[in-house]
Amino acid sequence: MKKNLIALAVAAAFIVPTSAFAADNSSNDNTGPVVYGYAQITGSTQFGTGPASVVHSNGSSSNGLIFGANRVRLGFKGEATKGVTYNIMGAWDNIGFGGNSGNLGYGNGLNNGLDTNWNGSSAGNAQLLDAWINFAPIPLAQLEVGKFKTPEGLEYNAVKGNELPFIFRNMGQSLLPGRTAGAMLHADDVMGTGVSYAVGIFDNAALDGGTVFSGGNTFGGGQSGFLNGNGKYITSGMLSYSMSPLLIAEVSGSMGTVSNGLTNTSDNDVSWNVGVRGGLMGITYAAGYTRVNGGLNNGYLNLPGNTPFKGDNTGSGTINASDWHVDLGANLYKMGLLPLDVEPVVRYDQYSVNDITGHPRGFGNLANTTIGVNYYVNPNNAHAAEIQLNYIIPSHRGGAFGNGYGNAGYRGFTGYDAPMNGLAYDTLMLQFQAGF
């Protein structure tokens, strides 16, 4: 009997504190973190880039097969307590497997003329892509703070990178602020109406590189950069309506002052976007239009492929650029035509720089027609494992985007210029994806 009492006392010494800790944990409603991520391994080759003996300014030759990782993402998300969620995601985008030159998306468009989903960091370098906390005590006015996507662009915000029907996003991404740090009020499906909104204020230097809003001095001249800003911001807003799955329609825009590091002045940029997407019974569609007007950031069109060569910088000018695209897809499995989950897709995407006053490049046009097919290994979990094949055909190349290496275009390099996600040459791409 004495031994039983001693055993009971010892057990109670462990059980009671453990139970108390579990009760505290439960009262905090901590439901995370959940680990998630995916990898996209991509191979590509281009045609018509010129002989292999031609060497670009970065030391690479004109043609050949290249492998890399278009997107590699790993994140942690969860609910810290009731109504407070968080997400932290790292990116290893555009990584090559042999160093960080000559990889997919590396540099400014001089590698095989291939400008991919360039994110502003050298290939092979990791970066913190998202880090945000969302407070939702009132569902109609949730507050999101941290680093995340600004609410402009329907495809950019509504379609995740591992759910894209094409390997690249459309070229209009060059005209959006992209990801940056800030605070945003937002709500989805307000009172069951299908209406959603978002409005926020963000750091004036978009942390995604390669857009018209990128660049500039983020911090002021105070004690430290972290404690003192420069008083210049980007504001973005979005209003959308969803009648899912048939229709999602959106209008959004951004305006901001981007510090000009070359002339110690500031450029004012205003962009706006309209878009629709949806589908039914295996047929999907999407269309969008994006436009930007304002100051010429850093004295030149600040896009991959348009890095200024010596003497190509006026430090002044205005920009008037636009992009429009239409997409169409047909999932043959969902339509009952094939036993395998196969989806042919096609997209036409046209990017135009209509006016750059006071600037030697003047204008440029580039269109990409993408013909592709997607194969989803498991129809019940389509994006867990898939294979994508894209053939991209450029056309309407002119002005700032040139017509080929050694042409009479600007500095002889115009054939290698393209906006973000734009391809300057016929390109064949094959991508394998796995996610969890």
Side-chain angles (χ1 to χ4, degrees), residues 146-430:
K147 182 190 176 186
F148 48 91
K149 290 181 177 180
T150 53
E152 182 182 1
L154 180 57
E155 182 200 72
Y156 184 60
N157 282 277
V159 186
K160 299 177 182 178
N162 63 330
E163 298 177 358
L164 290 167
F166 303 93
I167 294 175
F168 289 163
R169 296 188 182 276
N170 65 76
M171 291 185 281
Q173 188 177 344
S174 289
L175 306 178
L176 310 177
R179 282 180 168 91
T180 189
M184 179 177 74
L185 289 174
H186 67 101
D188 295 329
D189 193 17
V190 176
M191 301 181 68
T193 60
V195 174
S196 302
Y197 79 90
V199 59
I201 184 168
F202 302 91
D203 196 294
N204 82 307
L207 300 184
D208 276 348
T211 80
V212 293
F213 287 91
S214 298
N217 176 24
T218 305
F219 304 112
Q223 179 175 331
S224 72
F226 181 70
L227 298 174
N228 194 59
N230 62 8
K232 300 178 177 65
Y233 310 96
I234 293 173
T235 55
S236 296
M238 176 275 297
L239 184 65
S240 70
Y241 172 73
S242 175
M243 191 170 60
S244 185
L246 187 62
L247 171 68
I248 302 175
E250 168 259 8
V251 58
S252 57
S254 301
M255 59 181 178
T257 304
V258 182
S259 178
N260 188 323
L262 297 177
T263 61
N264 295 320
T265 59
S266 297
D267 301 323
N268 297 312
D269 292 322
V270 177
S271 66
W272 56 274
N273 173 273
V274 292
V276 294
R277 62 186 311 109
L280 190 66
M281 299 179 65
I283 301 295
T284 58
Y285 71 91
Y289 179 82
T290 309
R291 190 173 191 88
V292 65
N293 299 87
L296 194 58
N297 179 36
N298 287 339
Y300 65 94
L301 182 58
N302 187 19
L303 300 173
N306 284 291
T307 298
F309 298 98
K310 186 176 181 181
D312 180 24
N313 198 323
T314 64
S316 63
T318 58
I319 180 175
N320 178 355
S322 63
D323 176 85
W324 66 273
H325 68 95
V326 290
D327 309 354
L328 185 64
N331 190 298
L332 303 181
Y333 174 82
K334 292 180 180 180
M335 297 170 68
L337 300 177
L338 277 182
L340 299 177
D341 197 350
V342 175
E343 179 187 38
V345 292
V346 63
R347 175 174 66 193
Y348 182 82
D349 185 10
Q350 183 165 311
Y351 185 96
S352 300
V353 180
N354 302 314
D355 179 46
I356 308 179
T357 59
H359 192 269
R361 286 182 183 251
F363 71 95
N365 295 287
L366 175 67
N368 280 179
T369 300
T370 304
I371 302 170
V373 61
N374 303 317
Y375 168 58
Y376 307 105
V377 177
N378 181 0
N380 297 318
N381 190 4
H383 303 294
E386 63 181 272
I387 300 173
Q388 294 180 287
L389 179 67
N390 283 182
Y391 189 80
I392 303 100
I393 306 167
S395 60
H396 298 289
R397 287 175 53 190
F401 308 125
N403 292 298
Y405 183 85
N407 212 39
Y410 190 77
R411 307 285 184 186
F413 282 93
T414 51
Y416 297 93
D417 294 345
M420 185 185 295
N421 305 321
L423 280 301
Y425 298 98
D426 282 18
T427 305
L428 180 65
M429 306 189 73
L430 180 64

